[in-house]
Each structure stands twice: as C-alpha cells, then as structure tokens.
C-alpha cells in the first residue's frame, strides 16, 4: 500500500482551491444576469401599476389582463427556477401586451376621462360595498367600452363610456345616500312595519319631511353631505319618537296600558329632574308649572357657568402677564451671565423635554397605544383607537383615549401635528387608502372640536396599507397595523 507525503497533501489542497475558485468565477456572470432580470421584472411591475393608475385596465382591458397574466406567470416560473429563456419569453409577452395597451392611452384618455373621474369618486364613497348592483353594472359597461375601443369601434366605445359615467355617478349618489341616510332609512322602515304612519300620523309626517328634504339636498348637490346628514339625523330621531308615540297610542287603544299610568310615568321622570335641580316637584297644577321651574333652574345654572368661565378667562390673562414678567426677568439675567445662562438653559431644556417625554410615555397603557421617539418626532401609536369595519365614525368608548391625546398636544403647544391613518393589507388598496384618510380626518375634526388648537397645526393623511409596523400574515399583526398615528414634530419643543 502506498503512502501520501506532506507534499501530496499540499498539492491536493491547492487543486481543491483552484477548482472552487474556478466554479465561483463561472457563477459571477449568472449572478449578474439574475440581478438584471429581477430589476427588469420589478420595472415591469411598476409600469403595470402606473398603467392601472392611468385607467388602462378599463381602456384596454384585454391587453392589460394579458400583460398582468404573463407577468405573474414569469414571476412564478422565475421563483420555481425554470429555464431563463422560458421566463424571459413570458416577461417579453407581458411587456408587448402592456405596450399594446399603452397605444390606446391617448384616445382612451380623451374618451374615458370623465368616466374614470366618476369611477374614482364612486370608489372613494365605497360604492362597491354600499351600491354593489350599480357598481357592477357600471364596471361591466366600462369594460365593454374598452373592448370596443380595442376592436376599433370608437363610436360604440364612446356611447358605452357615457352610459358608464352615468352609472358611476348613480352609484356614487346611492353610496352617499347609504352613508348619510342609512340610519334614517332603517328607522323609517321600522316605523312603517310597526304601523306608525296610522298610529302617530303627525309625528311620522314630521319625520318623513326631514327625510325627504335630506334626499332633495343630495339630489340638488351631492357635495352638501353635511346638511343632508343633519337632516338625516333629525329624521332618524323623529322616526324613533313617532314609533314611541305610536306604540303608546296602540297600547292605550288596546287597553294594555291606562292613560293614567302614562301620566304617572311622566310625572316620575320630571320629578327626578326636579330632585337633581334641588327642589320638590308639585304636580297639583299639572306638569307644565314643574317644567317651567326646571327651565328656570337650568337657566340659573347656565348663568353661573358663564360667570365662572369669565373669571377663569381673567385668571388665565393674569397668569399670562405673570409669565411674561418672569420671561423678562430671565432675559435680563441671561444678559448678565450670558454664557453660563446659555449652558444652564440648554441643560434645563433637555431635562424638561426628557421629563415631558417620560410623562407622555406613562399616560398610555399597552392596550391604548405606544409612545415612540424617533429623532425629532414624537409618535403616539394608538392601537386602541379602532373603528367599525368600513367606518370612519369615532365611537364614544374611545373619547377617553383621545382626551389623553389632547393632554399631550397641550404639553407641546408649538409642535406641528400630523394625524396618520393606517390599515392592514386586507382588501382593495385604493379603498384602504381612502378609508385611512377619512379616519385620520375624523380624528383631526374631533380634536379641533374638543380643544383650543389652531387648525393650521393639524394635518391629516391616509397611508392605507403602505406603512405596516407588524406582519400582515397574522391576525395580531394586522390588528397592530390598523391604527392611527399622531406624529408631533418636537424639533423646536
């Protein structure tokens, strides 16, 4: 049996190194080609998304769909490790289909412009959910218009586009009605089922008047949602009152309850109010004199409150004057010991800011949110501020949390504030962005209505699903991504 010398071993190791180095050098061009292909794949995805934004998914639907399918196929083949020529063929087919779709952009922009605007307006009002039948009809018609344009039937396409625009506008209006008058519509239906129109005709007629006026407002100018919403709320409340009166009327008519019992109930309720106002109710003269006493007592309390508010305003003015005097003394002191005062002021300011940040962090518990300091930004990440699905209405259960936010804003009175809405990745991107923007705007309006703050300090923006803070693959992560962030610029604080 032969033996290996140290020299043989050294040669063997040298040979292995040469083979490994040679293999690595052969891989370098392949790695470079892979990076170039991935960059081309990403660029095509971006180009396809830009085409969608331009409306080519409806202007040239068949070409756009073909581009989408070929691009997805190319990506899947690449991930599976298929032959690069097969993958590149699919990518080239996607690019060719996209180029063919882009060929219709000029004439499509001219023909489809108004319809696409109507489509976006309907989408912003969540028409796919609130007016699904009209939305589906409009989508079918505008897709057919795009198919006619692809076949060269520009006249037929134009006619279908006009029809689609009308349908999208109808879908938008129906979605607005559902959003603004949904509660009133439900209350009216319930009252009708209960027979309130016959049992309490005057009350029902008053409620119906509010409801019809709200519809007339929207028919005349759909942008007047605020006025219509006010009338809708008045109608809902009036229908509820009419249903209550109708129920009492029905009970009395069927002798299920005596009229005397109803009067006793009313006296009991008015008596409770009188007790809270500090006097005994005397019903020998009927309910009206007792109600007059209550009104007078309440007016007196309101006058006392106005006096207290006036005193508070004077005290605050005096405090501001005292604060100005203190500032003046500090300025003169700084002039005498300039350098020492500068250093001392910087240290005090740093400590004050650090203390304020510690105090802010202690305000919120884990269920309500988390306080994050990033550079010159103080972020209140409000996980606890949740909304009903598809809604931008702030629920009373969250008023306490928003009161804490107001406290932080008062602690940083000069800091600009950005209210950012975020969603998880579930659902339509555009709908998510619109919903997050409405929710951020709702929080901004709440803060403006409930604290003395300049509207110039508050901005609202919706990012939709673009800025997650957790994985969207888990329910817990999605819940953390559905949030409102209140971001304060504390660079000057």
């Amino acid at each position: 049996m032969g033996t290996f010398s140290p020299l043989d071993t050294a040669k063997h190791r040298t040979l292995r190194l040469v083979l490994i180095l040679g293999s690595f050098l052969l891989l370098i061009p392949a790695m470079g080609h892979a990076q170039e292909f991935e960059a081309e794949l990403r660029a095509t995805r971006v180009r396809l998304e830009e085409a969608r934004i331009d409306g080519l998914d409806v202007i040239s639907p068949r070409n756009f769909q073909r581009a989408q399918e070929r691009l997805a196929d190319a990506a899947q083949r690449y991930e599976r490790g298929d032959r690069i020529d097969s993958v590149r063929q699919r990518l080239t087919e996607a690019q060719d289909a996209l180029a063919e779709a882009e060929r219709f952009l000029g004439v499509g922009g001219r023909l489809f412009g108004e319809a696409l605007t109507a489509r976006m307006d309907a989408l912003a009002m969540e028409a796919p959910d609130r007016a699904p039948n009209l939305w589906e009809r409009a989508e079918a018609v505008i897709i057919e218009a795009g198919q006619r344009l692809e076949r060269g039937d520009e006249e037929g396409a134009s006619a279908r586009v006009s029809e689609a625009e009308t349908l999208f506008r109808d879908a938008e209006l129906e979605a607005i009605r559902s959003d603004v008058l949904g509660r009133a519509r439900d209350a009216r239906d319930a009252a009708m089922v209960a027979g309130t129109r016959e049992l309490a005709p005057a009350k029902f007629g008053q409620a119906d008047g509010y409801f019809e006026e709200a519809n007339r407002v929207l028919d005349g100018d759909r942008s007047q949602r605020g006025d219509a919403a006010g009338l809708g709320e008045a109608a809902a409340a009036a229908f509820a009152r009419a249903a209550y009166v109708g129920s009492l009327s029905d009970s009395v008519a069927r002798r299920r309850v005596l009229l005397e019992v109803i009067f006793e109930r009313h006296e009991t309720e008015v008596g409770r109010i009188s007790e809270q106002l500090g006097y005994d109710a005397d019903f020998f003269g009927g309910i009206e004199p007792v109600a007059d006493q209550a009104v007078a007592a309440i007016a007196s309390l309101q006058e006392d409150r106005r006096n207290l508010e006036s005193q508070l305003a004077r005290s605050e003015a005096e405090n501001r004057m005292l604060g100005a005097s203190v500032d003046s003394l500090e300025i003169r002191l700084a002039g005498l010991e300039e350098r020492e005062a500068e250093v001392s002021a910087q240290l005090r300011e740093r400590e004050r800011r650090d203390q304020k940040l510690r105090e802010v962090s202690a305000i919120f518990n884990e269920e309500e949110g988390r306080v994050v300091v990033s550079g010159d930004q103080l972020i209140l990440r409000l996980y606890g501020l949740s909304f009903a699905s598809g809604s931008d209405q702030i629920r009373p259960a969250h008023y306490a949390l928003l009161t804490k936010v107001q406290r932080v804003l008062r602690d940083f009175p000069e800091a600009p504030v950005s209210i950012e809405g975020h969603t998880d990745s579930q659902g339509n991107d555009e709908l998510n962005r619109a919903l997050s923007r409405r929710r951020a705007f709702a929080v901004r309006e709440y803060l403006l209505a409930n604290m003395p703050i300049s509207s110039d300090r508050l901005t609202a923006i919706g990012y939709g699903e673009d800025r997650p803070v957790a994985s969207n693959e888990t329910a817990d992560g999605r819940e953390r991504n559905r949030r409102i962030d209140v971001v304060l610029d504390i660079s000057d604080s």
Side-chain angles (χ1 to χ4, degrees), residues 210-232:
Y210 290 137
F211 188 71
E212 291 174 1
E213 180 62 21
N215 277 289
R216 281 194 293 271
V217 168
L218 291 178
D219 287 336
D221 184 355
R222 66 189 63 189
S223 68
Q224 300 298 316
R225 295 179 59 198
D227 293 344
L231 289 165

Side-chain angles (χ1 to χ4, degrees), residues 85-102:
D85 56 345
S86 171
V87 178
R88 181 164 289 283
Q89 178 183 350
R90 295 300 187 280
L91 181 59
T92 300
E93 291 173 357
Q95 292 168 341
D96 291 344
L98 191 53
E100 183 64 19
E102 290 168 343

Side-chain angles (χ1 to χ4, degrees), residues 88-355:
R88 181 164 289 283
Q89 178 183 350
R90 295 300 187 280
L91 181 59
T92 300
E93 291 173 357
Q95 292 168 341
D96 291 344
L98 191 53
E100 183 64 19
E102 290 168 343
R103 189 171 64 83
F104 293 94
L105 189 57
V107 63
R110 175 174 55 82
L111 286 178
F112 286 71
E114 294 298 326
L116 290 175
T117 299
R119 184 174 185 250
M120 289 299 296
D121 291 342
L123 193 62
M125 288 309 306
E126 302 180 24
D129 294 327
R130 291 173 172 161
N133 293 335
L134 283 169
W135 173 265
E136 290 172 5
R137 286 173 55 197
E139 283 286 277
V141 171
I142 200 170
I143 291 295
E144 182 185 344
Q147 293 170 348
R148 287 175 179 264
L149 183 63
E150 288 176 320
R151 296 196 300 267
D153 182 8
E154 186 172 333
E155 183 177 350
S158 178
R160 301 304 277 166
V161 164
S162 297
E163 182 181 351
E165 180 184 354
T166 299
L167 287 170
F168 280 127
R169 289 301 179 194
D170 290 345
E172 177 198 12
L173 182 57
E174 181 59 26
I176 292 173
R177 288 190 202 281
S178 176
D179 180 36
V180 173
L181 301 180
R183 182 166 170 264
R185 185 182 295 168
D186 292 343
R188 186 180 190 278
D189 291 344
M192 290 286 290
V193 170
T196 305
R197 186 197 293 269
E198 293 77 22
L199 293 169
K203 290 290 186 183
F204 187 90
Q206 181 187 40
D208 228 14
Y210 290 137
F211 188 71
E212 291 174 1
E213 180 62 21
N215 277 289
R216 281 194 293 271
V217 168
L218 291 178
D219 287 336
D221 184 355
R222 66 189 63 189
S223 68
Q224 300 298 316
R225 295 179 59 198
D227 293 344
L231 289 165
E233 289 302 310
F239 280 126
R241 288 195 299 273
Y244 174 71
V245 172
S247 175
L248 288 179
S249 177
D250 184 59
S251 296
V252 171
R254 296 173 184 269
R255 301 187 64 81
R256 288 198 294 257
V257 64
L258 297 176
L259 192 60
E260 179 183 11
V261 174
I262 296 175
F263 274 105
E264 287 177 353
R265 290 177 185 171
H266 290 171
E267 287 181 352
T268 299
E269 295 303 318
V270 174
R272 289 174 57 200
I273 296 172
S274 301
E275 182 180 350
Q276 291 299 313
L277 291 172
Y279 67 90
D280 295 329
D282 182 356
F283 291 102
F284 287 109
I287 290 180
E288 289 78 4
V290 180
D292 291 340
Q293 282 182 294
V295 170
I298 292 170
S300 177
L301 289 174
Q302 289 176 336
E303 180 63 25
D304 289 343
R305 178 176 178 175
R306 285 191 289 270
N307 290 336
L308 289 173
E309 288 175 346
S310 178
Q311 292 175 12
L312 178 61
R314 288 195 297 270
S315 296
E316 289 176 346
E318 291 172 359
N319 287 338
R320 286 193 294 271
M321 292 178 62
L322 290 173
S325 297
V326 171
D327 291 341
S328 177
L329 290 174
E330 288 180 350
I331 291 172
R332 282 186 289 172
L333 180 60
L336 295 173
E337 301 177 1
E338 182 177 353
R339 179 55 186 162
E340 182 179 353
E342 281 182 6
V343 174
S344 178
Q346 290 173 1
L347 291 175
R348 286 197 304 272
E349 183 62 19
R350 184 174 301 173
E351 177 59 26
R352 183 187 68 83
R353 174 172 166 173
D354 291 344
Q355 178 62 28

Side-chain angles (χ1 to χ4, degrees), residues 394 419 438-451 455 458 460:
I394 297 173
I419 301 168
R438 295 203 315 276
R439 287 176 174 173
F441 188 78
V443 173
R444 177 181 183 271
E445 293 302 299
Y446 178 92
L447 293 175
L448 288 173
N450 287 277
M451 67 179 296
S455 61
L458 296 178

Side-chain angles (χ1 to χ4, degrees), residues 273-490:
I273 296 172
S274 301
E275 182 180 350
Q276 291 299 313
L277 291 172
Y279 67 90
D280 295 329
D282 182 356
F283 291 102
F284 287 109
I287 290 180
E288 289 78 4
V290 180
D292 291 340
Q293 282 182 294
V295 170
I298 292 170
S300 177
L301 289 174
Q302 289 176 336
E303 180 63 25
D304 289 343
R305 178 176 178 175
R306 285 191 289 270
N307 290 336
L308 289 173
E309 288 175 346
S310 178
Q311 292 175 12
L312 178 61
R314 288 195 297 270
S315 296
E316 289 176 346
E318 291 172 359
N319 287 338
R320 286 193 294 271
M321 292 178 62
L322 290 173
S325 297
V326 171
D327 291 341
S328 177
L329 290 174
E330 288 180 350
I331 291 172
R332 282 186 289 172
L333 180 60
L336 295 173
E337 301 177 1
E338 182 177 353
R339 179 55 186 162
E340 182 179 353
E342 281 182 6
V343 174
S344 178
Q346 290 173 1
L347 291 175
R348 286 197 304 272
E349 183 62 19
R350 184 174 301 173
E351 177 59 26
R352 183 187 68 83
R353 174 172 166 173
D354 291 344
Q355 178 62 28
K356 285 171 69 175
L357 294 178
R358 287 193 293 271
E359 291 173 355
V360 168
S361 296
I363 292 175
F364 302 91
N365 59 44
E366 291 182 358
E367 289 75 21
E368 292 173 331
R370 179 185 174 199
V371 178
V372 178
V373 179
S374 176
D376 289 331
Q377 287 188 334
L378 174 64
I379 304 171
L380 310 181
R381 191 147 285 160
L382 305 179
Y383 299 124
L385 182 54
S386 60
F387 294 82
S389 177
S391 173
D392 60 3
Q393 299 298 312
I394 297 173
R395 294 183 278 199
H398 299 133
Y399 291 171
L401 176 55
L402 290 174
T403 298
K404 293 184 178 183
V405 173
Q406 294 172 39
R407 174 179 167 185
V408 175
L409 298 189
R410 283 193 291 269
D411 284 343
F412 296 88
E414 303 300 328
V417 182
S418 174
I419 301 168
E420 301 176 355
H422 302 272
T423 68
D424 59 27
S425 61
Q426 302 296 303
N428 181 278
D429 292 356
E430 295 175 347
L431 285 176
N432 281 342
R433 189 170 291 108
L435 179 59
S436 66
R437 182 167 58 248
R438 295 203 315 276
R439 287 176 174 173
F441 188 78
V443 173
R444 177 181 183 271
E445 293 302 299
Y446 178 92
L447 293 175
L448 288 173
N450 287 277
M451 67 179 296
I453 185 170
S454 170
S455 61
D456 294 336
R457 276 186 62 198
L458 296 178
T459 59
I461 187 170
Y463 288 109
E465 62 188 62
D466 292 343
R467 298 188 177 184
V469 295
S471 172
N472 277 302
E473 299 301 319
T474 66
D476 182 66
R478 291 191 295 273
E479 182 178 358
R480 295 178 73 82
N481 288 333
R482 296 191 297 269
R483 68 193 190 279
I484 291 290
D485 285 350
V486 179
V487 183
L488 288 78
D489 181 354
I490 58 175

